Amino acid sequence: MTYYTLPFLFLNLGGEMMYILDQRLRAQNIAVEKARKVLNDIVRIMYNPRFMEELFKPQEIYNKAALKSLFQDLAHASIMKLNATSMDKLYDLMTMVFKWQVFTVSHPRELILVTLNHMDSTRAMVTDQTIHKQLDSAYFMFIKTYGQMSCGELQRVRYSLLNFMQDVRIRVSLLLRQRLQNADGSFTIPTQFQLFYGSEPPGKIRTYSRDGIPVDISSFYPGGRYTVSTQPCSTELRGVRNTTLGSNIYSGPRLEEEPQDLNYGGQESFRKEINLLVAQLGQQNVPVPPDSFSLELFNLNDSTVPQITTTTEPATDSLIEPSQTTTETNPHAETLSKILAEMQPTIPKDQSEFDLLNLMEELN
Amino acid sequence: MYEKDKTLLLVATASAIHNNLAVKLLDPSRVAESISVVHGGYINVIPLRTLDTATSQYIPCSSDSAQKYAASVMQVMWCYINYEAVLVVAGSVGLQVFDCDSLELRFSHACKDVPDEREHFARGLAHSPGDYLCVGNNSGVVRLFGTAEDGSLMFIDRKQLHGSPVADLACNKELLASCDDAGNIVLSLITPEEIVQWADISSYGCACTSIKMWKGVLAAGYGSGHIRLFSINDNRREVSLAVEVAAHAKWITALDVAPESGFILSVSEDSFAKVWHVTKKDSLTVTHRFSTQVKDCMLVGGRFLTLSGSVFAVSIYDSNLVQCFRM
């Protein structure tokens, strides 16, 4: 596995998580102040400078379970709580949309732009200037690490990401509806699309003489209609990315207004996934599937009440010791240390590869 | 020209790596006996001949359970070493040579040129007559192994031929071609003592993923979707670009040559498998002969299953199916 895969994984999955949370907070008319606090809190911790420093050190790719628990802790970094089922849904959705993006890029370098799209959108979601500074420094670390990589190296990173998400084939209604995903969970490959700036579309055979002079040129039908982007893509801090991959796919028409009779291969669960999230985020009038659960959302007044709502909740949550983690003067420190407390039980004691988690533990 | 033939079922899905389909096509056979496709640190081996009693195998590249989880295989090759058929594996463990039937580990070498904490893998395998084995790695180094008097493998030479990770190797008699992630190609001679570099083809700006050599022709597949054919003049030690094909819309992941007919197979992430015909009169010419879309499949491996090129197979990222096509 490539040693430079983790930053891509974390920044992009993090970006996807922000899209979903932002969309759900809006769709349910959560008070602007509360929604803003949730987004700010999560992004602040996601882009914690010491965490970033550790993230960008060359290292083996994360253990899958550890990565998920990291995002679980991030999602709970603020005043919003998700239970195990909704967290699973959230993580599945993040992973599949990112897998689709990595799968679909027409050139390995586009992967950088996908990540920058995620970071740009995250920046637009938060209002706090200190978080903007955190995002800036993360941007510079990212460009320093990947800006000069050859396309061959980036392709290895891309393959490493694809292999990390290999065999994950969850159907996402949003992708299915746009015919970007097939009923078996695989993604579609279009035969009409725009190639990356600087590419040559297929269709020509050029023959050269021994002296290197072109002597013949012939054409063949390439099997599709390919055009080439006429605009270069910018990796500048505020540049034009010139790709839509990595931008917010949830910002279109509101999902709960979509017709309910769409049939995705007879599996209702996929149609429900977004609505389930809606329900879990606390909206009252959305029909809740019978197998769902209650969620204590925006539980501002009593942060010491255990957030366990179902028996399937990870046991780790019960290990939170509120007395240790409450710092009333600094809500950031409070949420951060809460994350750290939650993380501790997930660290396998005998493995040194979880340096990142260990660091978070040290911060405690 | 070709029609869809049988579909082979793998034990586990194909990983995203270049050249992720190897064939066992050893003298005097003219038809492949088996194919192999990599899944992470495992190798799916599927027998092709229905009369054979051989069954599908799923081979870990390491018996160490901790390594087994983290290890990844980059390339697989079958060849004869000391008159015995062996399965040669390159990957994060380095070079490994297994007995074909018993899967007993015959030889291994780390092929490592970086400190322990750095990323490391071997990639690029080629076999040259006289039982020479060539192996590349991510440090751009190519190693040469030969057989000792007792028939066992031994290290002969290592040369820093590339500045980027080696992507693929090809041998034709004593001539060795190696390509890398930056798109450079190096031609070298294999002698009993060492590897001697004699020519190089500088990069066209994109990674070179797969190379093949036959009859004084070097065929190279590039990430930019191009196939380039170079003529090699052994005597004058010259190499020149003869044909350039803008072949695919996305990354070319594998290339193969059918030596008896001069067919070239190229497969790509763009879901197309294409067959080209190379003729050599005064100069090299290439014609487009066949194209098929394997719908919505990111192809990661493709090989002819016969020396004549009458059958070929492609492997697909994230799928446990291998699709065959027959003339």
Side-chain angles (χ1 to χ4, degrees):
Chain A
M1 282 290 178
T2 311
Y3 277 34
Y4 293 94
T5 308
L6 188 56
F8 272 106
L9 209 48
F10 182 79
L11 296 176
N12 288 291
L13 287 177
E16 283 304 319
M17 181 168 86
M18 297 317 292
Y19 288 149
I20 300 168
L21 295 181
D22 175 59
Q23 206 276 339
R24 295 332 304 165
L25 291 166
R26 277 171 204 276
Q28 289 158 79
N29 303 318
I30 301 297
V32 175
E33 280 309 308
K34 284 179 179 176
R36 187 176 292 165
K37 178 169 170 47
V38 170
L39 298 177
N40 279 341
D41 284 351
I42 294 176
V43 176
R44 185 184 295 117
I45 292 171
M46 204 184 273
Y47 286 89
N48 174 298
R50 276 193 67 196
F51 181 76
M52 280 294 127
E53 216 170 278
E54 211 51 37
L55 183 73
F56 277 93
K57 285 183 182 161
Q59 57 197 297
E60 289 262 20
I61 205 162
Y62 243 54
N63 164 307
K64 288 182 191 186
L67 189 69
K68 186 174 175 181
S69 91
L70 181 68
F71 277 106
Q72 177 169 351
D73 296 333
L74 269 175
H76 290 87
S78 187
I79 47 177
M80 179 195 71
K81 299 291 168 210
L82 297 168
N83 80 353
T85 316
S86 55
M87 187 60 219
D88 288 348
K89 297 270 178 196
L90 174 69
Y91 193 71
D92 287 349
L93 199 54
M94 285 154 57
T95 311
M96 277 317 278
V97 173
F98 181 47
K99 184 180 180 181
W100 166 71
Q101 290 159 350
V102 179
F103 184 90
T104 306
V105 296
S106 64
H107 190 280
R109 211 166 287 284
E110 198 173 344
L111 206 55
I112 291 184
L113 301 156
V114 170
T115 315
L116 293 179
N117 268 339
H118 277 129
M119 290 171 81
D120 291 348
S121 311
T122 305
R123 183 193 309 274
M125 272 180 214
V126 295
T127 46
D128 190 327
Q129 284 306 309
T130 56
I131 306 176
H132 283 173
K133 286 213 179 73
Q134 282 176 241
L135 276 154
D136 288 350
S137 74
Y139 162 84
F140 287 115
M141 286 167 96
F142 180 74
I143 288 300
K144 196 178 153 206
T145 313
Y146 299 104
Q148 300 303 313
M149 267 197 182
S150 70
C151 65
E153 283 174 291
L154 283 168
Q155 179 72 327
R156 261 190 311 116
V157 171
R158 176 169 168 251
Y159 280 0
S160 166
L161 289 168
L162 285 175
N163 291 335
F164 185 79
M165 297 180 281
Q166 191 175 348
D167 297 325
V168 181
R169 278 187 294 270
I170 298 149
R171 300 190 301 174
V172 175
S173 44
L174 204 61
L175 298 177
L176 285 161
R177 197 156 44 227
Q178 295 179 56
R179 305 247 182 281
L180 299 169
Q181 193 180 23
N182 297 310
D184 65 353
S186 66
F187 300 117
T188 56
I189 299 178
T191 51
Q192 289 186 25
F193 66 91
Q194 196 176 56
L195 304 187
F196 199 71
Y197 178 75
S199 308
E200 187 192 355
K204 291 272 187 290
I205 302 174
R206 285 181 287 270
T207 310
Y208 295 86
S209 74
R210 218 161 272 167
D211 312 313
I213 299 159
V215 288
D216 187 39
I217 184 160
S218 59
S219 302
F220 63 92
Y221 176 63
R225 287 227 305 269
Y226 306 105
T227 54
V228 180
S229 169
T230 51
Q231 296 284 315
C233 306
S234 169
T235 56
E236 296 294 316
L237 183 58
R238 303 201 200 294
V240 178
R241 309 300 174 214
N242 206 16
T243 177
T244 53
L245 288 174
S247 58
N248 196 342
I249 63 165
Y250 308 97
S251 59
R254 289 174 62 162
L255 296 162
E256 57 272 25
E257 290 162 8
E258 295 289 337
Q260 295 293 304
D261 57 353
L262 278 175
N263 181 9
Y264 304 123
Q267 289 220 19
E268 279 205 315
S269 58
F270 296 101
R271 178 161 55 78
K272 280 182 193 163
E273 69 195 339
I274 294 287
N275 288 331
L276 198 59
L277 262 174
V278 174
Q280 285 148 12
L281 283 166
Q283 196 182 35
Q284 303 304 314
N285 55 1
V286 167
V288 177
D291 60 340
S292 75
F293 41 80
S294 66
L295 182 86
E296 295 177 79
L297 194 64
F298 301 126
N299 189 1
L300 277 167
N301 299 329
D302 192 0
S303 62
T304 60
V305 171
Q307 299 298 333
I308 301 163
T309 52
T310 68
T311 49
T312 55
E313 192 81 9
T316 58
D317 281 14
S318 61
L319 296 170
I320 304 168
E321 293 172 49
S323 58
Q324 259 186 12
T325 61
T326 309
T327 316
E328 283 175 13
T329 49
N330 186 345
H332 165 60
E334 182 189 343
T335 45
L336 183 62
S337 53
K338 204 173 201 171
I339 267 196
L340 303 180
E342 284 178 332
M343 277 177 173
Q344 280 172 345
T346 68
I347 302 165
K349 287 170 185 65
D350 56 341
Q351 290 187 36
S352 55
E353 60 186 87
F354 298 109
D355 287 339
L356 220 51
L357 291 175
N358 284 330
L359 177 97
M360 297 298 264
E361 190 183 3
E362 280 168 29
L363 285 173
N364 192 1
Chain B
M1 184 178 172
Y2 291 87
E3 279 174 4
K4 237 183 198 181
D5 193 32
K6 61 187 169 189
T7 307
L8 305 169
L9 188 66
L10 301 171
V11 178
T13 58
S15 289
I17 49 170
H18 302 144
N19 306 304
N20 193 0
L21 181 75
V23 294
K24 185 182 184 185
L25 178 47
L26 300 170
D27 264 353
S29 180
R30 296 180 64 251
V31 179
E33 273 174 58
S34 321
I35 59 151
S36 80
V37 174
V38 172
H39 172 96
Y42 290 80
I43 305 160
N44 290 282
V45 176
I46 311 293
L48 292 175
R49 289 190 275 201
T50 45
L51 293 173
D52 284 357
T53 49
T55 53
S56 300
Q57 290 171 305
Y58 191 55
I59 309 162
C61 70
S62 169
S63 49
D64 182 340
S65 63
Q67 259 188 345
K68 207 188 284 184
Y69 177 75
S72 53
V73 174
M74 290 289 184
Q75 212 168 354
V76 177
M77 175 180 76
W78 275 283
C79 66
Y80 286 117
I81 296 287
N82 199 30
Y83 309 106
E84 280 181 80
V86 291
L87 177 69
V88 186
V89 179
S92 58
V93 191
L95 165 73
Q96 291 171 304
V97 180
F98 294 96
D99 182 281
C100 258
D101 302 316
S102 66
L103 295 177
E104 188 189 325
L105 184 66
R106 289 289 186 79
F107 180 78
S108 69
H109 192 286
C111 296
K112 196 168 186 174
D113 296 283
V114 288
D116 267 348
E117 67 277 10
R118 296 268 297 278
E119 184 188 13
H120 160 72
F121 57 85
R123 187 171 64 180
L125 291 168
H127 174 250
S128 154
D131 280 354
Y132 294 108
L133 200 57
C134 303
V135 187
N137 73 7
N138 66 323
S139 307
V141 169
V142 177
R143 277 184 172 73
L144 177 65
F145 297 89
T147 40
E149 277 177 14
D150 63 352
S152 63
L153 276 167
M154 60 169 192
F155 168 79
I156 297 178
D157 186 27
R158 68 174 280 276
K159 284 277 156 64
Q160 180 84 48
L161 297 180
H162 295 268
S164 297
V166 173
D168 196 18
L169 299 181
C171 262
N172 187 20
K173 293 177 187 153
E174 66 283 356
L175 193 59
L176 169 72
S178 49
C179 65
D180 66 29
D181 270 357
N184 296 297
I185 301 174
V186 173
L187 289 167
S188 321
L189 275 179
I190 298 167
T191 72
E193 292 84 31
E194 60 175 342
I195 304 170
V196 188
Q197 180 179 349
W198 65 265
D200 58 347
I201 302 164
S202 48
S203 173
Y204 287 82
C206 197
C208 181
T209 55
S210 193
I211 44 170
K212 290 285 177 286
M213 246 194 314
W214 92 114
K215 289 182 185 168
V217 178
L218 173 71
Y222 289 84
S224 56
H226 290 87
I227 301 170
R228 293 190 179 89
L229 299 188
F230 301 90
S231 345
I232 304 166
N233 187 323
D234 267 345
N235 302 327
R236 293 166 61 190
R237 294 202 168 182
E238 273 178 5
V239 51
S240 59
L241 175 67
V243 183
E244 181 181 63
V245 186
H248 289 274
K250 285 187 173 185
W251 212 262
I252 293 179
T253 47
L255 211 62
D256 198 18
V257 166
E260 289 182 357
S261 58
F263 285 150
I264 290 182
L265 168 72
S266 62
V267 303
S268 163
E269 288 190 15
D270 69 4
S271 74
F272 282 90
K274 298 182 180 184
V275 177
W276 316 83
H277 189 215
V278 180
T279 47
K280 201 176 173 183
K281 286 176 199 137
D282 299 340
S283 60
L284 283 178
T285 53
V286 171
T287 45
H288 175 246
R289 292 296 294 272
F290 175 76
S291 173
T292 184
Q293 189 195 8
V294 189
K295 197 170 170 6
D296 297 336
C297 290
M298 172 177 162
L299 305 181
V300 288
R303 291 291 296 267
F304 286 116
L305 302 184
T306 58
L307 291 179
S308 65
S310 57
V311 187
F312 70 85
V314 296
S315 62
I316 303 151
Y317 163 69
D318 220 10
S319 163
N320 57 354
L321 302 178
V322 168
Q323 182 62 53
C324 301
F325 293 84
R326 182 179 290 274
M327 224 182 251

